[in-house]
Amino acid sequence: MKIVVIGAGVVGATSALVLAERGADVTLVDAAPEPALGTSFANGSGITPGHAEPWNPPGTAQRLIGALLHRDLPYQVRPSALPGLLRWGAAFLRESAPGRYYANASHCIRLAVHSRRCLADLRERHGLAYDQVTEGSLELYRSPDALHDAVELRRRIGNADVEFDLLEPDALARLEPALAPVAGQFHAALLFPAHESGDARLFSREAVRRAAELGTRLRLGERVEKILRDNGRLKGIETDQGTIDADRVILCTGTDTGALLEPLGLRVPIYPVQGYSMTLDVAADGPAPRLPILDLARRFVTARLGPHRLRIAGLSDFTGGDTTLRPERLAVLKESAAALLPELADAIRAGGEDWTGLRPMTPDGPPLIGPTPIEGLWLNTGHGAMGWTMAAGSADVLADRLFGDAPKISAEGLDAQRVFG
């Protein structure tokens, strides 16, 4: 079977490796000259299945109204983006109804838990190194209500593989000394011992390298211009450098998916939500946190990448696909991080390697994995902020379905067909 994977971010790179492992004849195509120069370049870096839930819990409508009125919130809706947001936004709000939200959260977390196992297996099989830290992660809660909502979400989902421990402020300070100066500000924290972190860009490069060693042909720096059909069935792709025949084409193209599908008469509800990150050089034995951290109220994360780098990432800006790095928005992220990590405040405000990118969000939360109405054309896209967390599991589910095997987890709520009717 000749398979073309379009997109060499973390989802596409992992898909190419998993398909190559299973003996497929794979070609990986990306317009960028090397893997992971888009959304996967400098993302939040956490592998965090325990909080892979969608971003639209009940009450989302009220928060979005605030996002239109205030510029210093961790989420922002720019008025200029509203015309293109209306249809997607209506679905986003509809999916925040409690029954829909908890079902979608269950689908996301089921996939994410499976993905962490698949990632560990890939790491062991191929000896992959990507500045990973595998000692767990922390979620911080400033109020009893916020903690209650977090615990209630996990109770409703009922996934026994999502394990967590409750930490009082004193225990939090002992476990993560970087938080000792501010631990008293928090009501409690949750420790997820199975969580990890790592550099998605480094992983993508390693995955592509191993896929190439297994026979995958790399067509990097080659832009896909159209998907080719013959009598309604997929034939291959046309790029700026020629045509490539294929039995199957898999779009792992994130926010670019719609542009490839629209000429075929297909639409997918993927919205580009802008996020920011900064990466600091830190001392191995300095005051930088060791464990990945989610500050729930301020909606940002930190993650250690090996001994000498700290990634800080967050913000959720609905800008209509604009990728302008706005200093005033990056300043919101910096001030939130400086308040959480006062011993690093000067370094955070001074800045590091600043970045912005687009997350491919579906309105219900789960990604789109599986065939489209065009025979031979498949999707593995729309992972939102969880592409790194879900990449290995998504590739496994995709490969199982592509080769006619029963997926190891239920594909309910994940199937791409749900958006095509």
Side-chain angles (χ1 to χ4, degrees):
M1 184 186 298
K2 292 183 178 180
I3 300 175
V4 170
V5 176
I6 304 177
V10 69
V11 173
T14 311
S15 297
L17 175 56
V18 170
L19 291 168
E21 281 187 317
R22 300 197 187 190
D25 181 348
V26 181
T27 300
L28 178 64
V29 185
D30 196 292
E34 60 185 70
L37 291 187
T39 299
S40 304
F41 182 84
N43 64 8
S45 301
I47 309 293
T48 52
H51 51 80
E53 67 271 12
W55 283 8
N56 54 344
T60 292
Q62 291 84 349
R63 283 188 289 276
L64 288 181
I65 291 172
L68 280 166
L69 301 176
H70 301 283
R71 294 184 175 272
D72 59 349
L73 294 175
Y75 37 84
Q76 186 179 88
V77 179
R78 295 182 67 83
S80 60
L82 284 175
L85 183 60
L86 291 178
R87 182 173 181 175
W88 186 94
F92 185 70
L93 294 178
R94 183 173 65 250
E95 296 294 336
S96 71
R100 292 176 179 266
Y101 173 75
Y102 288 114
N104 291 328
S106 178
H107 302 324
C108 288
I109 291 177
R110 181 177 70 252
L111 174 62
V113 167
H114 176 59
S115 189
R116 189 192 65 79
R117 296 193 189 105
C118 292
L119 175 63
D121 290 343
L122 280 174
R123 183 170 62 228
E124 182 177 352
R125 287 200 301 273
H126 297 285
L128 303 178
Y130 45 92
D131 282 349
Q132 64 264 33
V133 177
T134 58
E135 300 176 26
S137 79
L138 293 165
E139 284 188 15
L140 308 179
Y141 301 94
R142 286 181 166 78
S143 71
D145 287 345
L147 176 66
H148 173 270
D149 290 345
V151 174
E152 177 67 7
L153 169 65
R154 277 81 188 188
R155 186 193 68 78
R156 287 201 183 204
I157 291 172
N159 191 317
D161 291 315
V162 178
E163 299 178 356
F164 58 88
D165 300 314
L166 180 66
L167 301 180
E168 301 293 339
D170 288 347
L172 173 63
R174 288 193 299 272
L175 178 67
E176 182 49 87
L179 296 176
V182 298
Q185 298 177 13
F186 298 98
H187 173 70
L190 295 181
L191 168 67
F192 293 82
H195 284 183
E196 306 179 7
S197 63
D199 190 324
R201 184 186 182 193
L202 290 181
F203 176 88
S204 299
R205 288 177 169 181
E206 285 292 286
V208 169
R209 177 185 64 80
R210 283 296 296 131
E213 290 174 352
L214 293 173
T216 295
R217 287 176 293 278
L218 305 183
R219 305 281 290 260
L220 303 180
E222 189 166 349
R223 183 176 302 280
V224 176
E225 296 186 339
K226 69 170 65 171
I227 296 166
L228 303 175
R229 290 184 293 173
D230 183 17
N231 293 322
R233 191 188 187 286
L234 180 131
K235 182 180 178 183
I237 63 171
E238 181 178 313
T239 77
D240 57 1
Q241 299 179 32
T243 61
I244 305 173
D245 293 334
D247 302 306
R248 302 286 186 275
V249 169
I250 303 164
L251 302 188
C252 303
T253 42
T255 57
D256 294 328
T257 304
L260 289 170
L261 291 180
E262 285 173 7
L264 306 174
L266 300 178
R267 297 185 63 178
V268 288
I270 293 177
Y271 191 87
V273 180
Q274 187 177 18
Y276 287 78
S277 78
M278 58 183 298
T279 308
L280 302 177
D281 293 329
V282 295
D285 56 353
R290 175 177 53 89
L291 299 179
I293 297 169
L294 166 62
D295 185 328
L296 188 71
R298 295 185 175 126
R299 300 302 304 182
F300 76 95
V301 297
T302 72
R304 197 70 169 260
L305 300 176
H308 296 297
R309 290 188 298 150
L310 180 70
R311 176 73 46 80
I312 299 168
L315 306 187
S316 304
D317 290 2
F318 294 80
T319 60
D322 188 1
T323 56
T324 302
L325 196 157
R326 293 179 170 79
E328 71 275 14
R329 292 301 289 155
L330 187 62
V332 173
L333 179 62
K334 289 183 177 181
E335 288 306 310
S336 294
L340 181 69
L341 304 170
E343 293 180 330
L344 284 176
D346 290 344
I348 290 169
R349 293 189 176 108
E353 183 181 356
D354 300 334
W355 176 83
T356 187
L358 300 174
R359 310 176 183 99
M361 304 285 293
T362 61
D364 54 359
L368 308 174
I369 307 172
T372 72
I374 295 175
E375 185 180 355
L377 180 61
W378 288 57
L379 303 183
N380 187 10
T381 189
H383 295 75
M386 288 288 125
W388 185 203
T389 293
M390 295 178 174
S394 296
D396 185 70
V397 171
L398 173 81
D400 281 341
R401 297 191 64 194
L402 199 66
F403 287 105
D405 300 326
K408 301 173 190 65
I409 61 169
S410 169
E412 180 186 0
L414 308 174
D415 194 342
Q417 290 288 352
R418 73 182 190 274
V419 302
F420 297 117

